[in-house]
Amino acid sequence: MQILDFNHISQIFVNSLELVVVFATICAALEFTFPAYRYSLASYARGVRNWLIRLGLGAFIWHFFAVGLAWLGVKPLVAINFAALLHSDNAIANTGLAVLSGVLVAIAGDFFYYWMHRAQHAVPFLWRLHATHHSIRELTAWNCNHHISEPLVYAALVALPLALIHFESGVVPIVAMTLITFQAHLSHSSTRINLGPLRYIIGDNKFHRIHHSMEPHHRHRNYGFFTTLWDTIFLTAYWPKKNEWPEVGMRNQPEPLTVRDYIMFPFDRRRWRKPKVGNAVEARD
């Protein structure tokens, strides 16, 4: 693989954009039809713009990550093959087991995301980068961007461990990526449609909304992305009540509106200047 292969970079960008457009639009349709909150059309336009920026830069990051793994000769130290463990001679049963194996891969991979996410809230520098995402007050399936640096953090703390511990589901990788991308948009969607009792296994918008909440009693809760199992195991799960749908964002940081604000959010000294004693405002961490 070439160090700078624009065809590969373009392919990463196009494939990622296709998934985002399909699932963000599906969730946006649910938001307009069954809204929990109604947000401005301008917020959707910002979301589209920021996704294009993030996916464009992310394509370069993921290309160089793949080149780096190949150059260093990184190979899995351990391989766990769910496809071999879950197999049946019955065609119908085998299809169900294949889907289950894909879900198990996502759950296993989410273990690393869970701890990355906790680190983002615990380490000051990582928090500044991640706070770009938490500052969003008009949170929707389109307007849910992380900072452009997120792929770097994800590559180091999630993708690299997963490259060393290889989980094989037996299903086409794009199927797993499709499920995960849909989950990303559903979990940030401002629609009343949710997963109901399935939430005790798979995360949804009501569960993840708590993580973005401004309410003090919701802090340090619901870090999981695909599954809620790790939050349950590590005692960080908060199960939202029937009509619990809190306001989101950060009390002391407005949502970035311009491209400059979006890119420079973690590095803008005006945002992170410590307030004077007596004028302090509560930070969302």
Side-chain angles (χ1 to χ4, degrees), residues 33-69:
T33 308
F34 308 101
Y37 276 103
R38 289 194 181 275
Y39 291 126
S40 67
L41 292 178
S43 69
Y44 285 88
R46 285 197 303 276
V48 172
R49 178 199 67 195
N50 292 347
W51 269 112
L52 289 172
I53 294 170
R54 183 181 172 232
L55 291 177
L57 294 175
F60 280 88
I61 293 171
W62 289 118
H63 169 72
F64 288 125
F65 179 75
V67 170
L69 291 183

Side-chain angles (χ1 to χ4, degrees), residues 5-256:
D5 186 340
F6 286 104
N7 287 331
H8 185 237
I9 293 169
S10 298
Q11 183 181 16
I12 293 173
F13 173 74
V14 171
N15 291 344
S16 301
L17 182 61
E18 286 177 347
L19 290 175
V20 168
V21 169
V22 169
F23 291 119
T25 302
I26 290 174
C27 291
L30 294 175
E31 291 169 353
F32 287 114
T33 308
F34 308 101
Y37 276 103
R38 289 194 181 275
Y39 291 126
S40 67
L41 292 178
S43 69
Y44 285 88
R46 285 197 303 276
V48 172
R49 178 199 67 195
N50 292 347
W51 269 112
L52 289 172
I53 294 170
R54 183 181 172 232
L55 291 177
L57 294 175
F60 280 88
I61 293 171
W62 289 118
H63 169 72
F64 288 125
F65 179 75
V67 170
L69 291 183
W71 183 72
L72 293 171
V74 174
K75 295 181 180 179
L77 300 176
V78 178
I80 300 174
N81 193 333
F82 286 115
L85 295 173
L86 301 173
H87 181 77
S88 172
D89 293 330
N90 183 285
I92 297 177
N94 200 47
T95 299
L97 290 173
V99 173
L100 175 60
S101 66
V103 171
L104 289 176
V105 167
I107 290 173
D110 206 45
F111 172 84
F112 296 98
Y113 179 89
Y114 174 88
W115 287 107
M116 178 200 76
H117 200 175
R118 289 193 67 165
Q120 288 177 309
H121 283 255
V123 179
F125 176 69
L126 294 180
W127 167 243
R128 285 196 180 192
L129 301 176
H130 187 57
T132 309
H133 179 61
H134 273 275
S135 70
I136 298 173
R137 296 185 181 180
E138 295 188 85
L139 189 66
T140 65
W142 267 111
N143 194 32
C144 58
N145 292 276
H146 290 81
H147 190 255
I148 57 174
S149 61
E150 182 84 0
L152 289 172
V153 180
Y154 189 94
L157 300 182
V158 178
L160 183 56
L162 288 177
L164 298 174
I165 304 175
H166 180 65
F167 295 96
E168 176 60 56
S169 68
V171 298
V172 180
I174 193 64
V175 174
M177 283 303 301
T178 298
L179 289 172
I180 292 171
T181 303
F182 176 67
Q183 178 72 7
H185 295 287
L186 176 65
S187 64
H188 294 101
S189 182
S190 63
T191 177
R192 288 187 284 109
I193 301 298
N194 56 73
L195 298 182
L198 189 58
R199 184 182 306 123
Y200 289 96
I201 300 175
I202 306 297
D204 68 354
N205 47 342
K206 283 200 72 173
F207 184 82
H208 193 65
R209 183 88 179 182
I210 296 299
H211 180 71
H212 281 263
S213 171
M214 285 188 181
E215 299 298 325
H217 65 287
H218 291 154
R219 288 187 183 182
H220 310 302
R221 297 290 187 175
N222 300 7
Y223 291 103
F225 173 57
F226 180 78
T227 182
T228 60
L229 292 177
W230 300 120
D231 279 292
T232 301
I233 292 171
F234 295 112
L235 306 179
T236 53
Y238 179 99
W239 305 107
K241 299 176 179 64
K242 182 178 180 180
N243 296 315
E244 193 168 17
W245 193 262
E247 293 285 349
V248 298
M250 296 170 62
R251 297 187 187 279
N252 64 333
Q253 295 288 4
E255 178 179 341

